[in-house]
């Protein structure tokens, strides 16, 4: 059984992430979307809120599971017999950081193999932070995120949480 993990902050999941998930899920028997908090990014949603939104967004993809993890990615990879780490690449700007992270992960655990999927052109501009910025400026985000995310973001504002 070939298992791949797609780790990220997913704060929140966007249609760009979803595109990577759909394509990656065809390359393995099981894909785990792993919510792992990036300590340098301030989040809008908690890990479990983010995981629940992903579960809703991927419910039609039968070989995709969602999990949360706070520790080192390579530890998760080691303990769950993961064959590949999936990351998405947008512009050149993603490359340096992704390259560094892939090499670091391999240094930490020699069997950690990272696979990069190139963004689809229609999502190349899309990031979670851009979605939040448009949302806070009261622009429409319906083209950028799954419906459940749009609803959850509106609820946060309504409840005065953000
Ligand atoms: P992180 O904080 O770990 O970078 P993100 O949620 O921002 O988490 O992104 C997770 C992964 O998805 C990263 O590899 C990122 O480059 C990729 N990604 C994000 N948005 C897109 C997109 N629109 N198209 C392709 N890949 C993307």
């Amino acid at each position: 059984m070939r298992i791949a993990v797609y780790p990220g902050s997913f704060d929140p999941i966007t249609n760009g992430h979803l595109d990577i998930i759909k394509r990656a899920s065809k390359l393995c028997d099981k894909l785990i979307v792993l919510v792992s908090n990036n300590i340098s990014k301030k989040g809008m949603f908690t890990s479990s809120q983010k995981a629940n939104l992903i579960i809703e967004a991927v419910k039609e993809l039968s070989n995709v599971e969602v999990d949360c993890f706070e520790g080192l990615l390579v530890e998760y990879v080691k303990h769950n017999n993961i064959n590949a780490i999936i990351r998405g690449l947008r512009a050149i700007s993603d490359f340096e950081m992704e390259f560094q992270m892939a090499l670091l992960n391999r240094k930490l655990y020699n069997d950690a193999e990272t696979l990069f999927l190139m963004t689809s052109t229609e999502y190349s501009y899309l990031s979670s932070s851009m979605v939040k910025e448009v949302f806070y400026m009261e622009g429409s985000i319906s083209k950028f995120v799954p419906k459940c995310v749009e609803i959850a973001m509106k609820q946060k504002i309504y409840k005065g949480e953000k």
Side-chain angles (χ1 to χ4, degrees):
M1 171 126 149
R2 311 297 293 172
I3 310 174
V5 64
Y6 178 35
S9 309
F10 304 108
D11 189 53
I13 183 169
T14 69
N15 290 341
H17 292 129
L18 210 49
D19 173 60
I20 297 288
I21 292 170
K22 283 181 188 156
R23 288 160 50 208
S25 69
K26 293 182 191 148
L27 304 175
C28 55
D29 300 308
K30 179 163 96 177
L31 177 70
I32 303 170
V33 181
L34 191 66
V35 176
S36 46
N37 282 330
N38 184 330
I39 48 174
S40 58
K41 288 185 188 172
K42 190 186 168 305
M44 179 179 196
F45 291 100
T46 65
S47 293
S48 63
Q49 287 170 335
K50 292 188 285 187
N52 285 332
L53 290 172
I54 301 171
I55 289 170
E56 175 66 21
V58 303
K59 65 176 185 239
E60 259 122 59
L61 302 171
S62 58
N63 66 337
V64 177
E65 290 178 11
V66 182
D67 198 5
C68 296
F69 187 66
E70 296 295 334
L72 260 185
L73 176 63
V74 290
E75 292 302 322
Y76 188 91
V77 166
K78 233 186 263 182
H79 291 115
N80 292 281
N81 299 317
I82 308 269
N83 303 99
I85 301 164
I86 304 286
R87 295 287 287 178
L89 275 184
R90 282 161 297 189
I92 311 285
S93 52
D94 272 341
F95 181 78
E96 200 175 334
M97 182 66 189
E98 294 291 344
F99 183 64
Q100 213 176 1
M101 212 149 51
L103 292 184
L104 179 70
N105 282 334
R106 194 187 299 149
K107 199 83 193 159
L108 291 170
Y109 177 48
N110 200 34
D111 286 346
E113 207 59 80
T114 306
L115 295 182
F116 294 103
L117 293 190
M118 199 60 80
T119 181
S120 301
T121 40
E122 68 258 50
Y123 302 122
S124 57
Y125 61 88
L126 197 50
S127 66
S128 300
S129 40
M130 192 218 77
V131 167
K132 285 181 274 193
E133 214 163 303
V134 171
F135 179 75
Y136 288 133
M137 301 290 178
E138 294 175 17
S140 169
I141 54 163
S142 59
K143 290 196 178 78
F144 308 141
V145 292
K147 192 78 198 160
C148 59
V149 171
E150 193 183 354
I151 293 169
M153 287 175 84
K154 284 183 179 156
Q155 275 171 352
K156 275 217 177 255
I157 292 284
Y158 181 70
K159 289 186 194 157
E161 285 180 30
K162 283 279 162 178

